[in-house]
């Protein structure tokens, strides 16, 4: 997680949105509309959620530019694609994550005929089935199952416990 103090103005800049309301409001985290507290940014991707967000304790709401017009004085960031913008905010607050080392970890099973791109990381206890393709920079966190003939794109991260069935 980041250590510097940020405000709504920074959030608008981060997502390339139009800020309506107090840009100096301190932003301390992200939440769902239901769980929002003072300092949180929330996503309102339709009118129903916008109404609920406006009534919440959230400091700032990310929504479509059309919905942003009815912000009732609350700090709102209007964007073209609200879900994508909110994902950027989530990534920012998540910070750096610890990745498995490049290579095949102890206990992982990689069957014959698997194609591994450059800088692929396969965590402990993963299974990669025959004929699977893992693109450059692919990361499989521990305990992932990749079935036969599955293709995983470049730079994809597959998190623990994910199962991708054969030929998907």
């Amino acid at each position: 997680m980041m250590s510097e103090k940020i405000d709504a103005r920074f959030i608008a800049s981060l997502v390339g949105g139009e800020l309506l309301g107090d840009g100096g409001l301190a932003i301390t985290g992200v939440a769902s509309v239901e769980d929002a507290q003072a300092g949180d940014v929330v996503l309102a991707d339709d009118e129903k959620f916008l109404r609920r967000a406006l009534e919440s304790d959230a400091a700032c709401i990310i929504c479509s530019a059309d919905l942003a017009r009815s912000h009732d004085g609350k700090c709102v960031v209007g964007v073209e694609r609200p879900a994508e913008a909110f994902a950027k905010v989530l990534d920012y607050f998540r910070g750096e994550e610890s990745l498995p080392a490049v290579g095949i970890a102890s206990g992982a099973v990689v069957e014959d005929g698997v194609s591994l791109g450059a800088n692929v990381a396969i965590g402990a206890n993963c299974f990669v089935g025959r004929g699977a393709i893992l693109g450059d920079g692919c990361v499989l966190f521990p305990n992932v199952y990749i079935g036969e003939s599955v293709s995983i794109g470049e730079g994809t991260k597959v998190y623990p416990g994910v199962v991708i069935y054969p030929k998907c």
Side-chain angles (χ1 to χ4, degrees):
M1 183 193 265
M2 79 300 146
S3 59
E4 73 274 8
K5 294 184 184 218
I6 64 168
D7 58 20
R9 199 172 294 108
F10 174 83
I11 295 296
S13 174
L14 177 69
V15 301
E18 179 186 2
L19 177 67
L20 301 173
D22 182 1
L25 282 174
I27 303 299
T28 57
V30 293
S32 67
V33 170
E34 296 82 9
D35 297 328
Q37 298 177 11
D40 285 339
V41 176
V42 298
L43 169 65
D45 58 359
D46 62 29
E47 288 184 38
K48 177 181 124 185
F49 276 100
L50 178 61
R51 282 192 303 275
R52 292 170 62 193
L54 289 169
E55 295 169 359
S56 77
D57 290 333
C60 186
I61 303 166
I62 294 177
C63 63
S64 70
D66 293 341
L67 290 177
R69 302 290 173 236
S70 55
H71 63 91
D72 293 335
K74 192 121 178 172
C75 181
V76 175
V77 176
V79 294
E80 189 175 319
R81 293 184 183 93
E84 289 179 23
F86 193 67
K88 286 181 183 178
V89 176
L90 287 171
D91 281 345
Y92 179 81
F93 275 91
R94 180 178 59 175
E96 294 296 317
E97 63 186 334
S98 178
L99 301 175
V102 170
I104 301 170
S106 172
V109 174
V110 177
E111 289 194 329
D112 292 336
V114 171
S115 174
L116 300 178
N119 300 314
V120 169
I122 300 175
N125 303 317
C126 288
F127 176 86
V128 182
R130 186 170 287 118
I133 301 169
L134 302 182
D136 292 348
C138 212
V139 176
L140 304 184
F141 284 83
N143 302 312
V144 167
Y145 176 93
I146 304 296
E148 178 181 330
S149 300
V150 169
S151 182
I152 306 292
E154 179 179 329
T156 301
K157 294 177 185 173
V158 184
Y159 289 89
V162 170
V163 173
I164 302 177
Y165 291 100
K167 300 177 183 163
C168 285

